[in-house]
Amino acid sequence: MNAHPFHTEEYRQALEQLQVVDFVLLELNLYLDTHPWDVQAIQQFNHYTHERMKIANQFQEKYGPLQNYGHAYSGCPWSWIETPWPWQV
Amino acid sequence: MGNEFEAQSLPEEGVPPEFRAGCHPAGRSQERIHVPYRSPCDPCPPLPFKTYVVPPNQFIVFQPPNWPQYPPEQALRCGTLWPALHSPYRPRRGREGEAT
């Protein structure tokens, strides 16, 4: 299925950008578990959450769903089976 | 208890790849050195020393707020958002002392 844009550099860069934002969110999430009153970290967390939603939506429009079971829309035919599995990327 | 002399005494070989992202924290290294018991029946010649890592989170009880952060891309490569908690892994290959 080479027609799909998985073999392009943009695809990898988009994935990496998503991974960078996800990692920051992970660290902030764990930090906020023990520092619930830290307003600045919460603002940063919300900023990156908004950022992550934008990146994920752009990604999904272009490359298909990141997650299934209702976390993303599907095209026709069913797009979930079109996208490569994570270990294939 | 491992003896306390710093790992700086280790020969500083070429910069390993993971440091090119600027992740290496300045100042004291986190590696310490100890010398295990050497039995006369050891089949192989004894190693000068063995190293172990004492990461910075051993010295921090509660993380203070508003700590300086790495830029996101570098945070991903260094494995932490805060430089103060960074604990770099230095590969063994080609280093004098402890075998891999």
Side-chain angles (χ1 to χ4, degrees):
Chain A
M1 182 70 186
N2 289 331
H4 214 286
F6 296 129
H7 303 289
T8 60
E9 195 40 39
E10 294 77 30
Y11 175 74
R12 290 188 179 285
Q13 276 155 12
L15 265 184
E16 190 185 342
Q17 188 54 29
L18 191 65
Q19 192 182 3
V20 162
V21 174
D22 275 349
F23 182 74
V24 173
L25 284 168
L26 173 88
E27 288 276 296
L28 285 175
N29 194 327
L30 294 174
Y31 170 80
L32 286 167
D33 289 346
T34 50
H35 300 68
W37 32 262
D38 188 338
V39 175
Q40 210 212 348
I42 292 169
Q43 280 164 1
Q44 186 182 2
F45 180 82
N46 289 330
H47 165 71
Y48 274 100
T49 307
H50 177 66
E51 198 68 31
R52 205 258 179 202
M53 286 176 188
K54 264 192 306 181
I55 292 174
N57 288 337
Q58 283 161 10
F59 183 92
Q60 286 176 141
E61 271 151 26
K62 203 168 173 201
Y63 297 108
L66 283 164
Q67 293 173 314
N68 56 351
Y69 293 115
H71 290 278
Y73 293 109
S74 172
C76 187
W78 177 242
S79 356
W80 177 246
I81 50 175
E82 301 300 326
T83 48
W85 297 110
W87 58 84
Q88 292 170 320
V89 173
Chain B
M1 235 319 274
N3 39 25
E4 284 307 310
F5 65 83
E6 286 306 322
Q8 263 78 12
S9 61
L10 275 175
E12 195 54 54
E13 84 291 1
V15 179
E18 72 273 13
F19 292 111
R20 269 183 217 105
C23 298
H24 191 72
R28 59 167 184 74
S29 164
Q30 297 160 16
E31 275 188 355
R32 294 184 184 170
I33 283 168
H34 73 281
V35 182
Y37 168 69
R38 291 165 180 165
S39 152
C41 317
D42 277 352
C44 307
L47 298 166
F49 55 82
K50 290 186 79 64
T51 55
Y52 61 97
V53 173
V54 182
N57 56 20
Q58 304 297 313
F59 307 106
I60 297 157
V61 176
F62 189 72
Q63 179 176 340
N66 305 328
W67 249 1
Q69 295 184 3
Y70 281 131
E73 292 73 19
Q74 189 179 347
L76 181 66
R77 278 165 176 67
C78 295
T80 174
L81 195 52
W82 294 279
L85 295 177
H86 178 63
S87 176
Y89 167 70
R90 292 175 61 200
R92 292 275 169 282
R93 223 167 298 109
R95 268 185 38 203
E96 171 259 343
E98 164 188 61
T100 45

